[in-house]
Amino acid sequence: MTASRTTGASMMPALLALKWWILAALVIGALWFTARIGTDDAVPAAYDWGDSPFSGNGPPRTYSEAIKRSGLGIANARSAAQAAPDQWLMHEIHASEQLARAQLSGSYDDYAAAQQALDAAFKVAVKGSGPHIMQASLDFSMHRLARAQAQLAAIDGYAVPPDPGDRAEMAAIRGDIAFYRGDYPAALADYDKADALVPGSASFRRAIFAARTGDVDQADAYLAEAERGYRSPSPQTRSYMALQRGILDLDRGRLNDAMAHFREADTLFPGRWLIEEHIAEVLNLQGKPAQAEALYRDIVRRTGHPEFIDALAGIAETRGDKAEARRLYARSWTIWSRRLTQFPEATYGHAIDHCVAKGDWPCALRLAQRNHEARPYGEAKIALARALLGNGRAREAQAMIEQVLASRWRTPDLHSTAADVFEANGLAEKAAEQRRRARAMNALA
C-alpha cells in the first residue's frame, strides 16, 4: 500500500493511513446511496441487473464503466450549469458529479473541480441558501474539520429546517468530526442522534469506531448491518463491503482471509485500483514481491498516485536496489508536494509515511505536527509519537503515546509504537507488555 508497509511485516503504520482515507470516502457518500429497509435482518440478495450495463435499468458493473458514466454525468451537469449560471442548484449538481468522480478516481484534481463548482454555487446563492451539506462533506473528506463544522452551523440557521434524512447526515458528520478530534464520547452521541432520525444511518461509522477501539468482531457486525441498509445493492456496493471485510482481516494479520475478500471484491466490481492495491499489499506480505510489483506498476500507470510509487520504492529497497528506490521516492515527492499545496490537511497524514520510508525524520515530524493540529485523533497522535521518537525526542514521544493509551483507541499500531517508545525510554517491562498486546491483535505487528 505504501512504502513503509511494503518493506516488511514490522512496518504497520502505512497500512492504517491510506485505509482510513478509504473509509472516509464511503462515510461521505453512505446516506446518498442508501435506501433504508427497516429492521429486516436478512442480508439483501444480489439483484440481477441484466446483461447490458449501459442500459437504463442498472448501475455500472465495472470500474471502467463507472468512470465512463461519470464523465458523461459531469459533461451534462457542466452544460446545465453553464446554461443557467444564476441557479446555484445547477452548480451543486455539477459539484455532486465531480465529487462522485473524485471518490472513484482518488484524484485531487477531481476534488478541486468539485470545489470550483461549489464555489460557483455559493457565488449566486442568496443568503441562507446554498449547497452547505455537500460543502461540509467535501470539507470533511479533505480533513478540513472546522470548515465542515461551519457549513453545518449555516444549515442550522435555515428558515425551513432540513428533512430528517439531511438532519441524520448532519448529525453523522458531526460525529465524524468529533471522532477525528479525538472526542470519542461525543462521536457516539452524534451517531445516536443520526440513528434516532434514520435508523441504521450511522452503522458504517460505528464499524469504523469499533475497529479503531479494539472490537473488530463488532466492526464486522456493524458492516453487516450497514449492508442490510441497501435495497438491491449494486455490484459496486457489494464489492466495497467485501473490501472492508478484507481490511478487517488484514488488521488482524489474517492474510489468506483478507485476500479471499479482496478477490471477491475484485470479481464483483473489476478494475478498481482501490481493490487491486490491497491485493498487491497482501501479495507482498505473503512473500510474492514480483507479483506485487507488477500490480503496483500497473496501478501507478493508471492512477499516478504517489503512495503506490512509494510502495514500489519500498520493494526496490528491500531487494537492494537503492538507486531505483531513490528515483521513485523523488518521483513521488514531486506529487506529494503538489498535493500539499492543493489540499494540505488531506495530505499530511499520508505524506508522513513517505518521509518515514525514506528516513527523513525532520520531514516526518513537520508533517506529523500539522496532521495532529488538523485531526488530533488516535492515529495522528501515534504518527506524531513515532516522528518524535525518530527525531530522538523519546520523552515527548512517551507523553504523546500515553495520551492514546489513556483513550479508547486500541490498534496493533498503537501497541507496537508504544513498545518502541517505552523501550527507547528504558522501560523494558512496559515495552514487552505492549509488544505482547500488539501481537495478540495482529501477529504481523
Side-chain angles (χ1 to χ4, degrees), residues 92 122 128-137 148-163 166-167 169-171 173-174:
E92 181 185 34
F122 279 113
S129 68
H132 291 100
I133 194 164
M134 186 171 295
Q135 182 65 68
S137 294
Q149 192 169 33
Q151 295 300 320
L152 298 178
I155 300 171
D156 289 337
Y158 282 3
V160 178
D163 64 31
D166 282 345
R167 293 203 307 275
E169 178 67 357
M170 289 169 62
I173 293 175
R174 283 191 167 105

Side-chain angles (χ1 to χ4, degrees), residues 214-248:
D215 195 344
V216 182
D217 290 336
Q218 185 60 57
D220 192 41
Y222 278 129
L223 281 179
E225 185 177 293
E227 190 169 13
R228 287 194 295 270
Y230 289 85
R231 189 187 306 276
S232 300
S234 70
Q236 184 176 348
T237 297
R238 294 173 59 217
S239 171
Y240 201 95
M241 289 301 182
L243 173 66
Q244 299 311 315
R245 291 189 173 94
I247 289 171
L248 291 180

Side-chain angles (χ1 to χ4, degrees), residues 6 23 48 63 84 87 132 134 150 157 176 179 261 277 284 289 313 342 395 402 404 412 431:
T6 56
L23 292 174
D48 184 359
Y63 180 78
Q87 297 181 31
H132 291 100
M134 186 171 295
D176 297 336
F179 178 86
H261 278 120
E277 62 96 355
N284 199 49
Q342 278 185 299
R395 291 297 178 90
E402 284 179 343
V404 191

